[in-house]
DNA sequence: CTGTATCCATGTGGATACTG
DNA sequence: CAGTATCCACATGGATACAG
């Protein structure tokens, strides 16, 4: 399959939509943390060091709207909310792992190229 | 391998750097166009419909600096410049194809989830 | 604890004009 | 043809304050 089977400007271009989603700073980090099981909002907030409450909420809302993450609010006081990957969300892990594997194997070479470019 | 083997805030986190690169609007489109062989600047400009000269230049410069694309300027008048994927650049095609395959198979379900979320 | 609302600094990217 | 330089509108995201 070619990389560009779809018009990248059409709203329904799957590649474009996916890249828009995983391209932002936090989405992949949150998905990665949820790989091993459900986590509470506060736990995510601690583990994704540096994320603001605003961006964590925004990221989780987007993932939930996309059907990648399930949000469960327990009717307790104080409130407890857990987030976990859906089956669809878990199915995204494999492609992400492939990408991470590429990065791990090749970013050294990329960095070397960057250093050469900077020196020149 | 876990998705988060590296500190995502460290400069040398491969995953973060790769996602920063492919997350932008144009990089993947340009790489995809170069999959079938070298192209001139003007040809890329036409094929990546909607891209501004500024962003095309910026994207190509970044890809070149990362060692993913090779730039060849021919000493002619008028000038002719060709861009092509390096071996490193071509090695990125497989992971991208995996991602595109996931998107093609699953974005329908994602869209359905979005529709449900919008309706609610 | 789990958010929402608001303000504001910063970065991104498009349009335009100009150059070798 | 293949860029560079500049201006500017807009989106992104952090900080802060507040609420259920």
């Amino acid at each position: 399959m070619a990389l560009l089977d779809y018009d990248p400007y059409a709203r329904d271009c799957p590649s474009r939509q996916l890249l828009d989603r995983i391209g932002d700073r936090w989405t992949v980090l949150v998905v990665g943390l949820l790989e091993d099981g459900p986590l509470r909002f506060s736990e995510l907030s601690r583990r994704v060091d540096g994320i603001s409450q605003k961006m964590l909420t925004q990221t989780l809302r987007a993932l939930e709207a996309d059907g990648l993450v399930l949000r469960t609010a327990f009717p307790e006081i104080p409130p407890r909310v857990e987030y976990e990957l859906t089956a669809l969300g878990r199915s995204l892990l494999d492609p992400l792992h492939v990408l991470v594997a590429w990065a791990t194997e090749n970013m050294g070479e990329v960095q070397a190229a960057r250093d050469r470019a900077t020196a020149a």
Side-chain angles (χ1 to χ4, degrees), chain A:
Chain A
M1 183 192 316
L3 223 42
L4 298 175
D5 277 347
Y6 292 80
D7 175 4
Y9 300 93
R11 282 179 175 276
D12 63 345
C13 170
S15 312
R16 181 73 264 143
Q17 291 184 41
L18 177 62
L19 288 169
D20 283 346
R21 169 66 66 248
I22 72 169
D24 75 72
R25 182 163 183 73
W26 304 114
T27 296
V28 174
L29 300 183
V30 170
V31 170
L33 280 177
L34 293 178
E35 182 170 12
D36 296 324
L39 288 176
R40 300 182 58 169
F41 185 90
S42 54
E43 183 67 12
L44 284 169
S45 193
R46 269 188 298 275
R47 302 270 286 271
V48 187
D49 189 35
I51 195 174
S52 63
Q53 224 172 24
K54 177 183 176 181
M55 290 313 298
L56 180 54
T57 299
Q58 189 172 307
T59 301
L60 289 169
R61 291 288 175 278
L63 287 170
E64 190 191 5
D66 284 358
L68 300 172
V69 160
L70 177 67
R71 178 184 187 272
T72 307
F74 298 88
E76 305 170 0
I77 292 185
R80 178 166 59 102
V81 179
E82 283 192 353
Y83 295 90
E84 61 187 314
L85 293 180
T86 62
L88 185 60
R90 282 192 300 276
S91 76
L92 181 55
L93 288 172
D94 272 343
L96 291 182
H97 280 298
V98 171
L99 218 51
V100 169
W102 186 93
T104 304
E105 289 170 24
N106 295 284
M107 285 307 286
E109 193 172 343
V110 169
Q111 188 57 55
R114 286 182 185 175
D115 292 343
R116 283 191 302 273
T118 301

